[in-house]
PDB file of all heavy atoms in Angstrom:
ATOM      1  N   ARG A 324      -7.597  66.736  92.092  1.00 94.00           N
ATOM      2  CA  ARG A 324      -6.904  65.457  92.280  1.00 94.00           C
ATOM      3  C   ARG A 324      -6.130  65.003  91.056  1.00 94.00           C
ATOM      4  O   ARG A 324      -5.027  64.431  91.187  1.00 94.00           O
ATOM      5  CB  ARG A 324      -7.942  64.372  92.604  1.00 94.00           C
ATOM      6  CG  ARG A 324      -8.196  64.299  94.126  1.00 94.00           C
ATOM      7  CD  ARG A 324      -8.954  63.083  94.551  1.00 94.00           C
ATOM      8  NE  ARG A 324     -10.287  63.096  94.071  1.00 94.00           N
ATOM      9  CZ  ARG A 324     -10.982  62.033  93.686  1.00 94.00           C
ATOM     10  NH1 ARG A 324     -10.406  60.842  93.737  1.00 94.00           N
ATOM     11  NH2 ARG A 324     -12.230  62.131  93.248  1.00 94.00           N
ATOM     12  N   TYR A 325      -6.651  65.283  89.885  1.00 95.00           N
ATOM     13  CA  TYR A 325      -6.044  64.712  88.694  1.00 95.00           C
ATOM     14  C   TYR A 325      -5.472  65.770  87.676  1.00 95.00           C
ATOM     15  O   TYR A 325      -4.811  65.348  86.718  1.00 95.00           O
ATOM     16  CB  TYR A 325      -7.056  63.817  87.952  1.00 95.00           C
ATOM     17  CG  TYR A 325      -7.522  62.692  88.806  1.00 95.00           C
ATOM     18  CD1 TYR A 325      -8.867  62.583  89.210  1.00 95.00           C
ATOM     19  CD2 TYR A 325      -6.646  61.706  89.234  1.00 95.00           C
ATOM     20  CE1 TYR A 325      -9.300  61.530  90.000  1.00 95.00           C
ATOM     21  CE2 TYR A 325      -7.070  60.610  90.013  1.00 95.00           C
ATOM     22  CZ  TYR A 325      -8.380  60.596  90.427  1.00 95.00           C
ATOM     23  OH  TYR A 325      -8.833  59.539  91.205  1.00 95.00           O
ATOM     24  N   GLY A 326      -5.847  66.983  87.850  1.00 96.00           N
ATOM     25  CA  GLY A 326      -5.297  68.001  86.939  1.00 96.00           C
ATOM     26  C   GLY A 326      -6.239  68.238  85.746  1.00 96.00           C
ATOM     27  O   GLY A 326      -6.997  67.388  85.389  1.00 96.00           O
ATOM     28  N   PRO A 327      -6.145  69.439  85.137  1.00 98.00           N
ATOM     29  CA  PRO A 327      -7.102  69.773  84.062  1.00 98.00           C
ATOM     30  C   PRO A 327      -7.001  68.891  82.854  1.00 98.00           C
ATOM     31  O   PRO A 327      -8.030  68.473  82.272  1.00 98.00           O
ATOM     32  CB  PRO A 327      -6.792  71.241  83.715  1.00 98.00           C
ATOM     33  CG  PRO A 327      -5.393  71.434  84.282  1.00 98.00           C
ATOM     34  CD  PRO A 327      -5.261  70.524  85.493  1.00 98.00           C
ATOM     35  N   ASP A 328      -5.800  68.609  82.424  1.00 98.00           N
ATOM     36  CA  ASP A 328      -5.700  67.809  81.161  1.00 98.00           C
ATOM     37  C   ASP A 328      -6.326  66.444  81.310  1.00 98.00           C
ATOM     38  O   ASP A 328      -6.932  65.934  80.371  1.00 98.00           O
ATOM     39  CB  ASP A 328      -4.209  67.673  80.756  1.00 98.00           C
ATOM     40  CG  ASP A 328      -3.685  68.952  80.133  1.00 98.00           C
ATOM     41  OD1 ASP A 328      -4.467  69.907  79.930  1.00 98.00           O
ATOM     42  OD2 ASP A 328      -2.479  69.077  79.932  1.00 98.00           O
ATOM     43  N   ALA A 329      -6.129  65.835  82.494  1.00 98.00           N
ATOM     44  CA  ALA A 329      -6.733  64.475  82.707  1.00 98.00           C
ATOM     45  C   ALA A 329      -8.239  64.561  82.579  1.00 98.00           C
ATOM     46  O   ALA A 329      -8.829  63.686  81.888  1.00 98.00           O
ATOM     47  CB  ALA A 329      -6.330  63.971  84.081  1.00 98.00           C
ATOM     48  N   VAL A 330      -8.841  65.529  83.203  1.00 97.00           N
ATOM     49  CA  VAL A 330     -10.295  65.610  83.123  1.00 97.00           C
ATOM     50  C   VAL A 330     -10.800  65.922  81.742  1.00 97.00           C
ATOM     51  O   VAL A 330     -11.710  65.302  81.236  1.00 97.00           O
ATOM     52  CB  VAL A 330     -10.783  66.685  84.171  1.00 97.00           C
ATOM     53  CG1 VAL A 330     -12.287  66.879  84.081  1.00 97.00           C
ATOM     54  CG2 VAL A 330     -10.371  66.337  85.576  1.00 97.00           C
ATOM     55  N   ARG A 331     -10.145  66.859  81.081  1.00 98.00           N
ATOM     56  CA  ARG A 331     -10.495  67.242  79.772  1.00 98.00           C
ATOM     57  C   ARG A 331     -10.382  66.039  78.804  1.00 98.00           C
ATOM     58  O   ARG A 331     -11.254  65.742  78.001  1.00 98.00           O
ATOM     59  CB  ARG A 331      -9.592  68.403  79.240  1.00 98.00           C
ATOM     60  CG  ARG A 331      -9.723  69.676  80.000  1.00 98.00           C
ATOM     61  CD  ARG A 331      -8.608  70.652  79.722  1.00 98.00           C
ATOM     62  NE  ARG A 331      -8.638  71.060  78.289  1.00 98.00           N
ATOM     63  CZ  ARG A 331      -9.123  72.242  77.888  1.00 98.00           C
ATOM     64  NH1 ARG A 331      -9.510  73.143  78.740  1.00 98.00           N
ATOM     65  NH2 ARG A 331      -9.138  72.526  76.609  1.00 98.00           N
ATOM     66  N   TYR A 332      -9.240  65.370  78.946  1.00 98.00           N
ATOM     67  CA  TYR A 332      -8.987  64.267  77.964  1.00 98.00           C
ATOM     68  C   TYR A 332     -10.042  63.136  78.170  1.00 98.00           C
ATOM     69  O   TYR A 332     -10.606  62.671  77.251  1.00 98.00           O
ATOM     70  CB  TYR A 332      -7.569  63.689  78.197  1.00 98.00           C
ATOM     71  CG  TYR A 332      -7.250  62.628  77.193  1.00 98.00           C
ATOM     72  CD1 TYR A 332      -6.891  62.896  75.921  1.00 98.00           C
ATOM     73  CD2 TYR A 332      -7.340  61.269  77.560  1.00 98.00           C
ATOM     74  CE1 TYR A 332      -6.573  61.888  75.018  1.00 98.00           C
ATOM     75  CE2 TYR A 332      -7.044  60.230  76.702  1.00 98.00           C
ATOM     76  CZ  TYR A 332      -6.678  60.577  75.428  1.00 98.00           C
ATOM     77  OH  TYR A 332      -6.419  59.578  74.500  1.00 98.00           O
ATOM     78  N   TYR A 333     -10.255  62.781  79.431  1.00 96.00           N
ATOM     79  CA  TYR A 333     -11.191  61.712  79.744  1.00 96.00           C
ATOM     80  C   TYR A 333     -12.559  61.966  79.061  1.00 96.00           C
ATOM     81  O   TYR A 333     -13.043  61.138  78.357  1.00 96.00           O
ATOM     82  CB  TYR A 333     -11.372  61.468  81.184  1.00 96.00           C
ATOM     83  CG  TYR A 333     -12.357  60.362  81.458  1.00 96.00           C
ATOM     84  CD1 TYR A 333     -11.976  59.014  81.367  1.00 96.00           C
ATOM     85  CD2 TYR A 333     -13.699  60.690  81.844  1.00 96.00           C
ATOM     86  CE1 TYR A 333     -12.936  58.002  81.549  1.00 96.00           C
ATOM     87  CE2 TYR A 333     -14.632  59.733  82.028  1.00 96.00           C
ATOM     88  CZ  TYR A 333     -14.243  58.406  81.897  1.00 96.00           C
ATOM     89  OH  TYR A 333     -15.158  57.382  82.055  1.00 96.00           O
ATOM     90  N   PHE A 334     -13.124  63.158  79.276  1.00 96.00           N
ATOM     91  CA  PHE A 334     -14.469  63.410  78.764  1.00 96.00           C
ATOM     92  C   PHE A 334     -14.511  63.476  77.263  1.00 96.00           C
ATOM     93  O   PHE A 334     -15.455  63.057  76.615  1.00 96.00           O
ATOM     94  CB  PHE A 334     -15.091  64.631  79.473  1.00 96.00           C
ATOM     95  CG  PHE A 334     -15.535  64.336  80.845  1.00 96.00           C
ATOM     96  CD1 PHE A 334     -14.826  64.898  81.934  1.00 96.00           C
ATOM     97  CD2 PHE A 334     -16.523  63.458  81.124  1.00 96.00           C
ATOM     98  CE1 PHE A 334     -15.186  64.554  83.237  1.00 96.00           C
ATOM     99  CE2 PHE A 334     -16.919  63.142  82.390  1.00 96.00           C
ATOM    100  CZ  PHE A 334     -16.235  63.699  83.499  1.00 96.00           C
ATOM    101  N   MET A 335     -13.436  64.022  76.699  1.00 97.00           N
ATOM    102  CA  MET A 335     -13.450  64.160  75.240  1.00 97.00           C
ATOM    103  C   MET A 335     -13.195  62.846  74.549  1.00 97.00           C
ATOM    104  O   MET A 335     -13.745  62.513  73.476  1.00 97.00           O
ATOM    105  CB  MET A 335     -12.378  65.172  74.810  1.00 97.00           C
ATOM    106  CG  MET A 335     -12.685  66.604  75.250  1.00 97.00           C
ATOM    107  SD  MET A 335     -14.185  67.319  74.567  1.00 97.00           S
ATOM    108  CE  MET A 335     -15.377  67.052  75.882  1.00 97.00           C
ATOM    109  N   ARG A 336     -12.342  62.013  75.137  1.00 97.00           N
ATOM    110  CA  ARG A 336     -11.949  60.761  74.511  1.00 97.00           C
ATOM    111  C   ARG A 336     -12.939  59.640  74.757  1.00 97.00           C
ATOM    112  O   ARG A 336     -13.202  58.759  73.939  1.00 97.00           O
ATOM    113  CB  ARG A 336     -10.560  60.357  75.107  1.00 97.00           C
ATOM    114  CG  ARG A 336     -10.278  58.909  75.229  1.00 97.00           C
ATOM    115  CD  ARG A 336      -9.548  58.447  73.989  1.00 97.00           C
ATOM    116  NE  ARG A 336      -8.891  57.164  74.200  1.00 97.00           N
ATOM    117  CZ  ARG A 336      -9.400  55.984  73.952  1.00 97.00           C
ATOM    118  NH1 ARG A 336     -10.590  55.864  73.464  1.00 97.00           N
ATOM    119  NH2 ARG A 336      -8.657  54.895  74.171  1.00 97.00           N
ATOM    120  N   GLU A 337     -13.517  59.655  75.998  1.00 94.00           N
ATOM    121  CA  GLU A 337     -14.263  58.486  76.422  1.00 94.00           C
ATOM    122  C   GLU A 337     -15.754  58.525  76.048  1.00 94.00           C
ATOM    123  O   GLU A 337     -16.342  57.507  75.926  1.00 94.00           O
ATOM    124  CB  GLU A 337     -14.075  58.400  77.941  1.00 94.00           C
ATOM    125  CG  GLU A 337     -14.402  57.117  78.599  1.00 94.00           C
ATOM    126  CD  GLU A 337     -13.849  55.862  77.945  1.00 94.00           C
ATOM    127  OE1 GLU A 337     -12.861  55.945  77.175  1.00 94.00           O
ATOM    128  OE2 GLU A 337     -14.420  54.800  78.151  1.00 94.00           O
ATOM    129  N   ILE A 338     -16.280  59.744  75.891  1.00 94.00           N
ATOM    130  CA  ILE A 338     -17.721  59.778  75.599  1.00 94.00           C
ATOM    131  C   ILE A 338     -17.923  60.291  74.178  1.00 94.00           C
ATOM    132  O   ILE A 338     -17.385  61.292  73.793  1.00 94.00           O
ATOM    133  CB  ILE A 338     -18.405  60.715  76.601  1.00 94.00           C
ATOM    134  CG1 ILE A 338     -18.285  60.101  77.975  1.00 94.00           C
ATOM    135  CG2 ILE A 338     -19.893  60.936  76.242  1.00 94.00           C
ATOM    136  CD1 ILE A 338     -18.526  61.097  79.092  1.00 94.00           C
ATOM    137  N   GLU A 339     -18.663  59.479  73.403  1.00 95.00           N
ATOM    138  CA  GLU A 339     -18.923  59.905  72.048  1.00 95.00           C
ATOM    139  C   GLU A 339     -19.831  61.148  72.120  1.00 95.00           C
ATOM    140  O   GLU A 339     -20.947  61.059  72.653  1.00 95.00           O
ATOM    141  CB  GLU A 339     -19.675  58.755  71.337  1.00 95.00           C
ATOM    142  CG  GLU A 339     -19.569  58.886  69.862  1.00 95.00           C
ATOM    143  CD  GLU A 339     -20.288  57.745  69.195  1.00 95.00           C
ATOM    144  OE1 GLU A 339     -20.253  56.586  69.701  1.00 95.00           O
ATOM    145  OE2 GLU A 339     -20.970  57.998  68.143  1.00 95.00           O
ATOM    146  N   PHE A 340     -19.301  62.250  71.605  1.00 95.00           N
ATOM    147  CA  PHE A 340     -20.025  63.516  71.803  1.00 95.00           C
ATOM    148  C   PHE A 340     -21.413  63.407  71.106  1.00 95.00           C
ATOM    149  O   PHE A 340     -21.480  62.992  69.947  1.00 95.00           O
ATOM    150  CB  PHE A 340     -19.213  64.671  71.233  1.00 95.00           C
ATOM    151  CG  PHE A 340     -19.523  65.975  71.867  1.00 95.00           C
ATOM    152  CD1 PHE A 340     -19.342  66.163  73.245  1.00 95.00           C
ATOM    153  CD2 PHE A 340     -20.085  67.006  71.123  1.00 95.00           C
ATOM    154  CE1 PHE A 340     -19.670  67.437  73.819  1.00 95.00           C
ATOM    155  CE2 PHE A 340     -20.411  68.247  71.705  1.00 95.00           C
ATOM    156  CZ  PHE A 340     -20.170  68.407  73.076  1.00 95.00           C
ATOM    157  N   GLY A 341     -22.456  63.795  71.850  1.00 94.00           N
ATOM    158  CA  GLY A 341     -23.796  63.653  71.250  1.00 94.00           C
ATOM    159  C   GLY A 341     -24.544  62.494  71.967  1.00 94.00           C
ATOM    160  O   GLY A 341     -25.739  62.505  72.015  1.00 94.00           O
ATOM    161  N   LYS A 342     -23.771  61.521  72.531  1.00 94.00           N
ATOM    162  CA  LYS A 342     -24.424  60.406  73.231  1.00 94.00           C
ATOM    163  C   LYS A 342     -24.268  60.612  74.721  1.00 94.00           C
ATOM    164  O   LYS A 342     -23.375  61.319  75.175  1.00 94.00           O
ATOM    165  CB  LYS A 342     -23.774  59.098  72.826  1.00 94.00           C
ATOM    166  CG  LYS A 342     -23.793  58.798  71.323  1.00 94.00           C
ATOM    167  CD  LYS A 342     -24.401  57.441  71.096  1.00 94.00           C
ATOM    168  CE  LYS A 342     -24.694  57.246  69.616  1.00 94.00           C
ATOM    169  NZ  LYS A 342     -23.610  56.550  68.945  1.00 94.00           N
ATOM    170  N   ASP A 343     -25.099  59.906  75.548  1.00 94.00           N
ATOM    171  CA  ASP A 343     -24.891  59.903  76.948  1.00 94.00           C
ATOM    172  C   ASP A 343     -23.654  59.099  77.311  1.00 94.00           C
ATOM    173  O   ASP A 343     -23.248  58.226  76.601  1.00 94.00           O
ATOM    174  CB  ASP A 343     -26.080  59.236  77.669  1.00 94.00           C
ATOM    175  CG  ASP A 343     -27.363  60.091  77.543  1.00 94.00           C
ATOM    176  OD1 ASP A 343     -27.262  61.206  76.988  1.00 94.00           O
ATOM    177  OD2 ASP A 343     -28.425  59.597  77.917  1.00 94.00           O
ATOM    178  N   GLY A 344     -23.100  59.382  78.519  1.00 92.00           N
ATOM    179  CA  GLY A 344     -21.967  58.615  78.945  1.00 92.00           C
ATOM    180  C   GLY A 344     -21.868  58.569  80.468  1.00 92.00           C
ATOM    181  O   GLY A 344     -22.179  59.568  81.100  1.00 92.00           O
ATOM    182  N   ASP A 345     -21.567  57.407  81.006  1.00 87.00           N
ATOM    183  CA  ASP A 345     -21.518  57.305  82.445  1.00 87.00           C
ATOM    184  C   ASP A 345     -20.124  57.559  82.942  1.00 87.00           C
ATOM    185  O   ASP A 345     -19.133  57.268  82.220  1.00 87.00           O
ATOM    186  CB  ASP A 345     -21.938  55.818  82.838  1.00 87.00           C
ATOM    187  CG  ASP A 345     -22.875  55.820  84.003  1.00 87.00           C
ATOM    188  OD1 ASP A 345     -23.897  56.500  83.974  1.00 87.00           O
ATOM    189  OD2 ASP A 345     -22.536  55.100  84.955  1.00 87.00           O
ATOM    190  N   PHE A 346     -19.981  58.179  84.109  1.00 85.00           N
ATOM    191  CA  PHE A 346     -18.698  58.425  84.701  1.00 85.00           C
ATOM    192  C   PHE A 346     -18.327  57.294  85.595  1.00 85.00           C
ATOM    193  O   PHE A 346     -19.119  56.911  86.461  1.00 85.00           O
ATOM    194  CB  PHE A 346     -18.624  59.745  85.401  1.00 85.00           C
ATOM    195  CG  PHE A 346     -17.272  60.000  86.018  1.00 85.00           C
ATOM    196  CD1 PHE A 346     -16.272  60.491  85.269  1.00 85.00           C
ATOM    197  CD2 PHE A 346     -17.010  59.648  87.375  1.00 85.00           C
ATOM    198  CE1 PHE A 346     -14.975  60.650  85.815  1.00 85.00           C
ATOM    199  CE2 PHE A 346     -15.720  59.779  87.906  1.00 85.00           C
ATOM    200  CZ  PHE A 346     -14.724  60.293  87.153  1.00 85.00           C
ATOM    201  N   ASN A 347     -17.100  56.781  85.503  1.00 84.00           N
ATOM    202  CA  ASN A 347     -16.649  55.739  86.386  1.00 84.00           C
ATOM    203  C   ASN A 347     -15.140  55.978  86.648  1.00 84.00           C
ATOM    204  O   ASN A 347     -14.330  56.070  85.759  1.00 84.00           O
ATOM    205  CB  ASN A 347     -16.891  54.435  85.586  1.00 84.00           C
ATOM    206  CG  ASN A 347     -16.308  53.235  86.286  1.00 84.00           C
ATOM    207  OD1 ASN A 347     -15.067  53.142  86.535  1.00 84.00           O
ATOM    208  ND2 ASN A 347     -17.157  52.329  86.632  1.00 84.00           N
ATOM    209  N   GLU A 348     -14.838  56.082  87.926  1.00 86.00           N
ATOM    210  CA  GLU A 348     -13.499  56.516  88.264  1.00 86.00           C
ATOM    211  C   GLU A 348     -12.407  55.494  87.943  1.00 86.00           C
ATOM    212  O   GLU A 348     -11.285  55.866  87.545  1.00 86.00           O
ATOM    213  CB  GLU A 348     -13.396  56.804  89.779  1.00 86.00           C
ATOM    214  CG  GLU A 348     -12.213  57.672  90.136  1.00 86.00           C
ATOM    215  CD  GLU A 348     -12.332  58.486  91.383  1.00 86.00           C
ATOM    216  OE1 GLU A 348     -13.445  58.655  91.886  1.00 86.00           O
ATOM    217  OE2 GLU A 348     -11.298  59.007  91.825  1.00 86.00           O
ATOM    218  N   THR A 349     -12.736  54.192  87.972  1.00 88.00           N
ATOM    219  CA  THR A 349     -11.746  53.186  87.605  1.00 88.00           C
ATOM    220  C   THR A 349     -11.439  53.271  86.125  1.00 88.00           C
ATOM    221  O   THR A 349     -10.261  53.319  85.743  1.00 88.00           O
ATOM    222  CB  THR A 349     -12.286  51.771  87.942  1.00 88.00           C
ATOM    223  OG1 THR A 349     -12.710  51.762  89.274  1.00 88.00           O
ATOM    224  CG2 THR A 349     -11.263  50.733  87.694  1.00 88.00           C
ATOM    225  N   ARG A 350     -12.446  53.425  85.370  1.00 90.00           N
ATOM    226  CA  ARG A 350     -12.240  53.593  83.906  1.00 90.00           C
ATOM    227  C   ARG A 350     -11.452  54.848  83.621  1.00 90.00           C
ATOM    228  O   ARG A 350     -10.574  54.889  82.803  1.00 90.00           O
ATOM    229  CB  ARG A 350     -13.681  53.652  83.288  1.00 90.00           C
ATOM    230  CG  ARG A 350     -13.685  53.936  81.802  1.00 90.00           C
ATOM    231  CD  ARG A 350     -13.568  52.647  81.012  1.00 90.00           C
ATOM    232  NE  ARG A 350     -13.281  53.006  79.599  1.00 90.00           N
ATOM    233  CZ  ARG A 350     -12.326  52.398  78.871  1.00 90.00           C
ATOM    234  NH1 ARG A 350     -11.608  51.374  79.345  1.00 90.00           N
ATOM    235  NH2 ARG A 350     -12.143  52.805  77.620  1.00 90.00           N
ATOM    236  N   PHE A 351     -11.771  55.920  84.350  1.00 92.00           N
ATOM    237  CA  PHE A 351     -11.107  57.226  84.196  1.00 92.00           C
ATOM    238  C   PHE A 351      -9.561  57.025  84.386  1.00 92.00           C
ATOM    239  O   PHE A 351      -8.800  57.376  83.547  1.00 92.00           O
ATOM    240  CB  PHE A 351     -11.658  58.130  85.320  1.00 92.00           C
ATOM    241  CG  PHE A 351     -11.023  59.529  85.408  1.00 92.00           C
ATOM    242  CD1 PHE A 351     -11.479  60.590  84.641  1.00 92.00           C
ATOM    243  CD2 PHE A 351      -9.982  59.753  86.310  1.00 92.00           C
ATOM    244  CE1 PHE A 351     -10.956  61.862  84.782  1.00 92.00           C
ATOM    245  CE2 PHE A 351      -9.423  61.062  86.425  1.00 92.00           C
ATOM    246  CZ  PHE A 351      -9.933  62.040  85.683  1.00 92.00           C
ATOM    247  N   ILE A 352      -9.198  56.330  85.444  1.00 95.00           N
ATOM    248  CA  ILE A 352      -7.790  56.141  85.739  1.00 95.00           C
ATOM    249  C   ILE A 352      -7.147  55.236  84.697  1.00 95.00           C
ATOM    250  O   ILE A 352      -6.005  55.508  84.224  1.00 95.00           O
ATOM    251  CB  ILE A 352      -7.621  55.595  87.180  1.00 95.00           C
ATOM    252  CG1 ILE A 352      -7.942  56.784  88.127  1.00 95.00           C
ATOM    253  CG2 ILE A 352      -6.224  55.044  87.444  1.00 95.00           C
ATOM    254  CD1 ILE A 352      -7.917  56.470  89.549  1.00 95.00           C
ATOM    255  N   ASN A 353      -7.837  54.168  84.349  1.00 96.00           N
ATOM    256  CA  ASN A 353      -7.244  53.244  83.364  1.00 96.00           C
ATOM    257  C   ASN A 353      -7.018  53.908  82.006  1.00 96.00           C
ATOM    258  O   ASN A 353      -5.978  53.724  81.383  1.00 96.00           O
ATOM    259  CB  ASN A 353      -8.145  52.012  83.169  1.00 96.00           C
ATOM    260  CG  ASN A 353      -8.135  51.150  84.449  1.00 96.00           C
ATOM    261  OD1 ASN A 353      -7.224  51.256  85.238  1.00 96.00           O
ATOM    262  ND2 ASN A 353      -9.112  50.302  84.584  1.00 96.00           N
ATOM    263  N   VAL A 354      -7.978  54.743  81.533  1.00 96.00           N
ATOM    264  CA  VAL A 354      -7.827  55.371  80.251  1.00 96.00           C
ATOM    265  C   VAL A 354      -6.633  56.321  80.248  1.00 96.00           C
ATOM    266  O   VAL A 354      -5.813  56.363  79.367  1.00 96.00           O
ATOM    267  CB  VAL A 354      -9.116  56.164  79.873  1.00 96.00           C
ATOM    268  CG1 VAL A 354      -8.910  57.119  78.738  1.00 96.00           C
ATOM    269  CG2 VAL A 354     -10.227  55.172  79.526  1.00 96.00           C
ATOM    270  N   LEU A 355      -6.562  57.094  81.366  1.00 97.00           N
ATOM    271  CA  LEU A 355      -5.457  58.109  81.408  1.00 97.00           C
ATOM    272  C   LEU A 355      -4.115  57.442  81.483  1.00 97.00           C
ATOM    273  O   LEU A 355      -3.164  57.831  80.843  1.00 97.00           O
ATOM    274  CB  LEU A 355      -5.713  59.052  82.568  1.00 97.00           C
ATOM    275  CG  LEU A 355      -6.967  59.900  82.416  1.00 97.00           C
ATOM    276  CD1 LEU A 355      -7.364  60.531  83.680  1.00 97.00           C
ATOM    277  CD2 LEU A 355      -6.783  60.957  81.327  1.00 97.00           C
TER     278      LEU A 355
END
Side-chain angles (χ1 to χ4, degrees):
R324 274 193 290 147
Y325 300 115
D328 283 352
V330 177
R331 296 167 65 101
Y332 184 78
Y333 176 79
F334 285 110
M335 294 298 97
R336 148 93 161 95
E337 197 46 22
I338 296 162
E339 199 183 320
F340 205 62
K342 302 235 169 94
D343 290 354
D345 223 53
F346 178 82
N347 174 298
E348 196 154 349
T349 307
R350 176 88 193 133
F351 176 87
I352 288 177
N353 290 340
V354 165
L355 294 165

